[in-house]
Amino acid sequence: QSVLTQPPSASGTPGQRITISCSGSSSNVGSNTVNWYQQFPGTAPKLLIYNNNQRPSGVPDRFTGSKSGSSASLAIGGLSPEDEADYYCAAWDDILNGRLFGGGTQLTVL
Amino acid sequence: EVQLVESGGGLVKPGGSLRLSCAASGFIFNDAWMSWIRQAPGKGLEWVGRIKSNTDGGTTDYPAPVKGRFTISRDDSRNTLYLQMNRLETEDTALYYCTTDSKSPPWRYFDSWGQGTLVTVSS
């Protein structure tokens, strides 16, 4: 069981806006920045959001990250079938002295 | 363009050892902090450890499941990162990725990934 908690699955219809949550604690999400990664089957993950809400160049502004307290969220607006993938949050943990990943959320676009 | 190419994976018996390599190019390797991340079949991502640049001390950090069994090292003259894995367990079966880490804000860690190398631990 991951220290960072994500829902195992999420779904939405094309054009819809969905959010994926990442719940941690004061030693990780609460005191360190959160990154998000997107992974398609059979491929390496890709950095989607860093520093809570920054997008690398090339990532559409439909993807937005936010953080409040010990929880973070990834919002995807204007859902497209191309967004079907697994999404992971990550953060440093000051007690474990290491990087943590959430368990991942599989997004289905119906 | 950043390139990370892992190699060295394979089939090994429980209790055995294996050394993975990651050839890096397209960035200043000797200034980079680097991490290894693994993904068991059908499972999520798990951080395996990181190494700081030698200018930042070259120290390493590991999570509990691999501490004392895995060792990360680097050869800056060869732009290569290594993961020495000893006393392997069946639970170590996974695809192992080499990634760039981040030493400072804005904490853009795991920005670049290799294609991964598969390690299978089985008798």
Short mmCIF file of all heavy atoms in Angstrom, two decimals, chain A residues 62-104:
data_model
loop_
_atom_site.label_atom_id
_atom_site.label_comp_id
_atom_site.label_asym_id
_atom_site.label_seq_id
_atom_site.Cartn_x
_atom_site.Cartn_y
_atom_site.Cartn_z
N ARG A 62 -4.50 21.82 -20.81
CA ARG A 62 -5.68 21.08 -20.29
C ARG A 62 -5.30 20.35 -18.99
O ARG A 62 -6.19 19.98 -18.21
CB ARG A 62 -6.15 20.04 -21.30
CG ARG A 62 -6.55 20.58 -22.64
CD ARG A 62 -7.17 19.50 -23.52
NE ARG A 62 -6.26 18.43 -23.91
CZ ARG A 62 -6.29 17.20 -23.42
NH1 ARG A 62 -7.18 16.88 -22.49
NH2 ARG A 62 -5.45 16.28 -23.86
N PHE A 63 -4.02 20.17 -18.80
CA PHE A 63 -3.52 19.47 -17.61
C PHE A 63 -3.09 20.52 -16.59
O PHE A 63 -2.23 21.35 -16.87
CB PHE A 63 -2.34 18.57 -17.95
CG PHE A 63 -2.69 17.43 -18.86
CD1 PHE A 63 -2.63 17.57 -20.24
CD2 PHE A 63 -3.09 16.20 -18.33
CE1 PHE A 63 -2.95 16.51 -21.09
CE2 PHE A 63 -3.41 15.13 -19.17
CZ PHE A 63 -3.34 15.29 -20.55
N THR A 64 -3.71 20.49 -15.42
CA THR A 64 -3.34 21.45 -14.38
C THR A 64 -3.15 20.73 -13.06
O THR A 64 -3.90 19.80 -12.72
CB THR A 64 -4.39 22.55 -14.22
OG1 THR A 64 -5.66 21.94 -13.95
CG2 THR A 64 -4.50 23.39 -15.47
N GLY A 65 -2.14 21.15 -12.31
CA GLY A 65 -1.87 20.58 -11.00
C GLY A 65 -2.09 21.60 -9.91
O GLY A 65 -1.92 22.80 -10.13
N SER A 66 -2.48 21.11 -8.75
CA SER A 66 -2.68 21.99 -7.61
C SER A 66 -2.36 21.23 -6.34
O SER A 66 -2.30 19.99 -6.33
CB SER A 66 -4.11 22.54 -7.58
OG SER A 66 -5.03 21.46 -7.41
N LYS A 67 -2.15 21.98 -5.27
CA LYS A 67 -1.86 21.38 -3.97
C LYS A 67 -2.45 22.23 -2.87
O LYS A 67 -2.39 23.47 -2.94
CB LYS A 67 -0.35 21.23 -3.77
CG LYS A 67 0.02 20.38 -2.57
CD LYS A 67 1.53 20.27 -2.39
CE LYS A 67 2.06 21.38 -1.51
NZ LYS A 67 3.45 21.12 -1.04
N SER A 68 -3.00 21.56 -1.89
CA SER A 68 -3.53 22.24 -0.72
C SER A 68 -3.26 21.37 0.49
O SER A 68 -3.76 20.23 0.57
CB SER A 68 -5.04 22.50 -0.87
OG SER A 68 -5.55 23.11 0.28
N GLY A 69 -2.46 21.87 1.39
CA GLY A 69 -2.13 21.08 2.58
C GLY A 69 -1.39 19.81 2.20
O GLY A 69 -0.39 19.86 1.49
N SER A 70 -1.90 18.69 2.64
CA SER A 70 -1.26 17.40 2.37
C SER A 70 -1.92 16.65 1.22
O SER A 70 -1.75 15.43 1.10
CB SER A 70 -1.29 16.53 3.63
OG SER A 70 -0.54 17.13 4.67
N SER A 71 -2.66 17.36 0.41
CA SER A 71 -3.29 16.73 -0.75
C SER A 71 -2.97 17.50 -2.02
O SER A 71 -2.85 18.73 -1.99
CB SER A 71 -4.81 16.67 -0.58
OG SER A 71 -5.16 15.74 0.42
N ALA A 72 -2.85 16.77 -3.10
CA ALA A 72 -2.61 17.37 -4.41
C ALA A 72 -3.63 16.82 -5.39
O ALA A 72 -4.23 15.76 -5.15
CB ALA A 72 -1.19 17.07 -4.89
N SER A 73 -3.81 17.53 -6.47
CA SER A 73 -4.76 17.09 -7.49
C SER A 73 -4.23 17.36 -8.88
O SER A 73 -3.52 18.35 -9.10
CB SER A 73 -6.10 17.81 -7.33
OG SER A 73 -6.74 17.43 -6.15
N LEU A 74 -4.60 16.49 -9.79
CA LEU A 74 -4.34 16.68 -11.20
C LEU A 74 -5.70 16.80 -11.88
O LEU A 74 -6.54 15.91 -11.74
CB LEU A 74 -3.58 15.48 -11.79
CG LEU A 74 -3.43 15.46 -13.31
CD1 LEU A 74 -2.47 16.57 -13.75
CD2 LEU A 74 -2.92 14.11 -13.79
N ALA A 75 -5.90 17.90 -12.58
CA ALA A 75 -7.14 18.09 -13.31
C ALA A 75 -6.85 17.98 -14.80
O ALA A 75 -5.83 18.48 -15.28
CB ALA A 75 -7.75 19.45 -12.99
N ILE A 76 -7.74 17.30 -15.49
CA ILE A 76 -7.64 17.17 -16.95
C ILE A 76 -8.94 17.69 -17.54
O ILE A 76 -10.02 17.14 -17.28
CB ILE A 76 -7.41 15.71 -17.38
CG1 ILE A 76 -6.23 15.10 -16.62
CG2 ILE A 76 -7.15 15.65 -18.89
CD1 ILE A 76 -6.03 13.62 -16.89
N GLY A 77 -8.84 18.79 -18.29
CA GLY A 77 -10.02 19.36 -18.91
C GLY A 77 -10.12 18.95 -20.37
O GLY A 77 -9.13 18.56 -20.99
N GLY A 78 -11.34 19.02 -20.91
CA GLY A 78 -11.52 18.67 -22.31
C GLY A 78 -11.00 17.28 -22.61
O GLY A 78 -10.23 17.07 -23.56
N LEU A 79 -11.44 16.30 -21.81
CA LEU A 79 -10.95 14.93 -21.95
C LEU A 79 -10.99 14.44 -23.39
O LEU A 79 -11.95 14.70 -24.13
CB LEU A 79 -11.80 13.98 -21.10
CG LEU A 79 -11.33 13.61 -19.71
CD1 LEU A 79 -12.28 12.60 -19.09
CD2 LEU A 79 -9.91 13.09 -19.72
N SER A 80 -9.94 13.74 -23.73
CA SER A 80 -9.82 13.14 -25.06
C SER A 80 -9.50 11.67 -24.89
O SER A 80 -8.86 11.28 -23.91
CB SER A 80 -8.69 13.85 -25.82
OG SER A 80 -8.26 13.08 -26.92
N PRO A 81 -9.92 10.83 -25.84
CA PRO A 81 -9.54 9.40 -25.75
C PRO A 81 -8.03 9.21 -25.66
O PRO A 81 -7.57 8.21 -25.11
CB PRO A 81 -10.11 8.81 -27.04
CG PRO A 81 -11.27 9.69 -27.39
CD PRO A 81 -10.85 11.07 -26.97
N GLU A 82 -7.27 10.16 -26.19
CA GLU A 82 -5.80 10.07 -26.13
C GLU A 82 -5.28 10.23 -24.70
O GLU A 82 -4.09 10.00 -24.46
CB GLU A 82 -5.19 11.16 -27.01
CG GLU A 82 -5.55 11.02 -28.48
CD GLU A 82 -5.19 12.27 -29.26
OE1 GLU A 82 -4.89 13.31 -28.63
OE2 GLU A 82 -5.22 12.22 -30.49
N ASP A 83 -6.11 10.66 -23.78
CA ASP A 83 -5.68 10.84 -22.40
C ASP A 83 -5.76 9.55 -21.60
O ASP A 83 -5.35 9.52 -20.44
CB ASP A 83 -6.54 11.91 -21.71
CG ASP A 83 -6.41 13.27 -22.36
OD1 ASP A 83 -5.33 13.57 -22.92
OD2 ASP A 83 -7.40 14.04 -22.32
N GLU A 84 -6.28 8.50 -22.19
CA GLU A 84 -6.36 7.21 -21.49
C GLU A 84 -4.96 6.72 -21.19
O GLU A 84 -4.16 6.44 -22.09
CB GLU A 84 -7.09 6.17 -22.34
CG GLU A 84 -8.59 6.23 -22.26
CD GLU A 84 -9.25 4.88 -22.53
OE1 GLU A 84 -8.56 3.95 -23.02
OE2 GLU A 84 -10.45 4.75 -22.23
N ALA A 85 -4.65 6.64 -19.92
CA ALA A 85 -3.30 6.31 -19.47
C ALA A 85 -3.34 6.10 -17.96
O ALA A 85 -4.39 6.28 -17.32
CB ALA A 85 -2.33 7.43 -19.82
N ASP A 86 -2.19 5.75 -17.41
CA ASP A 86 -2.04 5.70 -15.95
C ASP A 86 -1.36 6.99 -15.51
O ASP A 86 -0.43 7.47 -16.16
CB ASP A 86 -1.18 4.50 -15.55
CG ASP A 86 -1.87 3.18 -15.84
OD1 ASP A 86 -3.12 3.12 -15.75
OD2 ASP A 86 -1.16 2.21 -16.17
N TYR A 87 -1.81 7.50 -14.38
CA TYR A 87 -1.27 8.75 -13.85
C TYR A 87 -0.75 8.51 -12.43
O TYR A 87 -1.43 7.89 -11.61
CB TYR A 87 -2.34 9.84 -13.85
CG TYR A 87 -2.75 10.24 -15.25
CD1 TYR A 87 -3.74 9.52 -15.93
CD2 TYR A 87 -2.13 11.30 -15.91
CE1 TYR A 87 -4.09 9.85 -17.23
CE2 TYR A 87 -2.48 11.64 -17.20
CZ TYR A 87 -3.45 10.90 -17.86
OH TYR A 87 -3.80 11.24 -19.15
N TYR A 88 0.46 9.02 -12.17
CA TYR A 88 1.11 8.83 -10.87
C TYR A 88 1.52 10.18 -10.29
O TYR A 88 2.05 11.03 -11.00
CB TYR A 88 2.37 7.99 -11.01
CG TYR A 88 2.14 6.56 -11.47
CD1 TYR A 88 2.13 6.25 -12.83
CD2 TYR A 88 1.97 5.54 -10.55
CE1 TYR A 88 1.91 4.94 -13.26
CE2 TYR A 88 1.77 4.23 -10.97
CZ TYR A 88 1.74 3.94 -12.32
OH TYR A 88 1.54 2.65 -12.74
N CYS A 89 1.31 10.33 -8.99
CA CYS A 89 1.87 11.47 -8.30
C CYS A 89 3.15 11.02 -7.59
O CYS A 89 3.36 9.81 -7.36
CB CYS A 89 0.89 12.06 -7.29
SG CYS A 89 0.38 10.95 -5.95
N ALA A 90 4.01 11.97 -7.26
CA ALA A 90 5.25 11.66 -6.56
C ALA A 90 5.65 12.84 -5.69
O ALA A 90 5.36 14.00 -6.02
CB ALA A 90 6.36 11.35 -7.56
N ALA A 91 6.32 12.54 -4.60
CA ALA A 91 6.81 13.58 -3.69
C ALA A 91 7.95 13.01 -2.85
O ALA A 91 8.06 11.79 -2.69
CB ALA A 91 5.68 14.08 -2.78
N TRP A 92 8.76 13.91 -2.32
CA TRP A 92 9.81 13.51 -1.38
C TRP A 92 9.19 13.36 0.00
O TRP A 92 8.29 14.12 0.37
CB TRP A 92 10.91 14.56 -1.35
CG TRP A 92 12.02 14.25 -0.41
CD1 TRP A 92 12.16 14.67 0.89
CD2 TRP A 92 13.16 13.41 -0.65
NE1 TRP A 92 13.29 14.16 1.45
CE2 TRP A 92 13.93 13.39 0.53
CE3 TRP A 92 13.60 12.69 -1.77
CZ2 TRP A 92 15.12 12.66 0.62
CZ3 TRP A 92 14.78 11.97 -1.68
CH2 TRP A 92 15.52 11.96 -0.50
N ASP A 93 9.68 12.40 0.76
CA ASP A 93 9.22 12.24 2.14
C ASP A 93 10.38 12.53 3.09
O ASP A 93 11.43 11.89 3.02
CB ASP A 93 8.70 10.82 2.36
CG ASP A 93 8.00 10.69 3.71
OD1 ASP A 93 8.72 10.64 4.73
OD2 ASP A 93 6.77 10.65 3.75
N ASP A 94 10.19 13.48 3.99
CA ASP A 94 11.25 13.90 4.90
C ASP A 94 11.56 12.87 5.97
O ASP A 94 12.67 12.84 6.52
CB ASP A 94 10.84 15.22 5.58
CG ASP A 94 10.75 16.37 4.58
OD1 ASP A 94 11.50 16.34 3.58
OD2 ASP A 94 9.93 17.27 4.81
N ILE A 95 10.60 12.01 6.30
CA ILE A 95 10.85 11.00 7.33
C ILE A 95 11.50 9.76 6.72
O ILE A 95 12.49 9.24 7.23
CB ILE A 95 9.53 10.62 8.03
CG1 ILE A 95 8.99 11.82 8.81
CG2 ILE A 95 9.74 9.43 8.96
CD1 ILE A 95 7.65 11.58 9.48
N LEU A 96 10.97 9.30 5.62
CA LEU A 96 11.54 8.14 4.93
C LEU A 96 12.81 8.50 4.18
O LEU A 96 13.59 7.62 3.79
CB LEU A 96 10.52 7.54 3.96
CG LEU A 96 9.23 7.01 4.59
CD1 LEU A 96 8.24 6.57 3.52
CD2 LEU A 96 9.54 5.87 5.54
N ASN A 97 13.04 9.80 4.00
CA ASN A 97 14.22 10.28 3.27
C ASN A 97 14.31 9.64 1.89
O ASN A 97 15.33 9.07 1.49
CB ASN A 97 15.49 9.98 4.06
CG ASN A 97 16.65 10.85 3.62
OD1 ASN A 97 16.49 12.04 3.37
ND2 ASN A 97 17.85 10.27 3.52
N GLY A 98 13.21 9.75 1.17
CA GLY A 98 13.18 9.16 -0.17
C GLY A 98 12.00 9.67 -0.96
O GLY A 98 11.12 10.35 -0.42
N ARG A 99 12.03 9.38 -2.23
CA ARG A 99 10.93 9.78 -3.11
C ARG A 99 9.85 8.70 -3.06
O ARG A 99 10.14 7.51 -3.01
CB ARG A 99 11.43 9.98 -4.54
CG ARG A 99 12.48 11.09 -4.66
CD ARG A 99 12.32 11.86 -5.94
NE ARG A 99 13.44 12.75 -6.18
CZ ARG A 99 13.51 14.00 -5.73
NH1 ARG A 99 12.54 14.48 -4.99
NH2 ARG A 99 14.55 14.75 -6.02
N LEU A 100 8.63 9.16 -3.08
CA LEU A 100 7.48 8.26 -3.05
C LEU A 100 6.63 8.45 -4.28
O LEU A 100 6.51 9.57 -4.79
CB LEU A 100 6.61 8.55 -1.82
CG LEU A 100 7.25 8.43 -0.45
CD1 LEU A 100 6.24 8.89 0.60
CD2 LEU A 100 7.69 7.01 -0.18
N PHE A 101 5.99 7.37 -4.70
CA PHE A 101 4.97 7.45 -5.75
C PHE A 101 3.62 7.07 -5.16
O PHE A 101 3.54 6.25 -4.23
CB PHE A 101 5.27 6.46 -6.88
CG PHE A 101 6.35 6.90 -7.81
CD1 PHE A 101 7.64 6.40 -7.69
CD2 PHE A 101 6.09 7.81 -8.83
CE1 PHE A 101 8.64 6.79 -8.57
CE2 PHE A 101 7.09 8.21 -9.71
CZ PHE A 101 8.36 7.70 -9.58
N GLY A 102 2.58 7.65 -5.72
CA GLY A 102 1.26 7.15 -5.43
C GLY A 102 1.07 5.82 -6.16
O GLY A 102 1.88 5.44 -7.01
N GLY A 103 0.00 5.13 -5.83
CA GLY A 103 -0.24 3.83 -6.42
C GLY A 103 -0.65 3.87 -7.89
O GLY A 103 -0.66 2.83 -8.56
N GLY A 104 -0.98 5.06 -8.36
CA GLY A 104 -1.36 5.19 -9.76
C GLY A 104 -2.86 5.17 -9.96
O GLY A 104 -3.59 4.50 -9.22
#
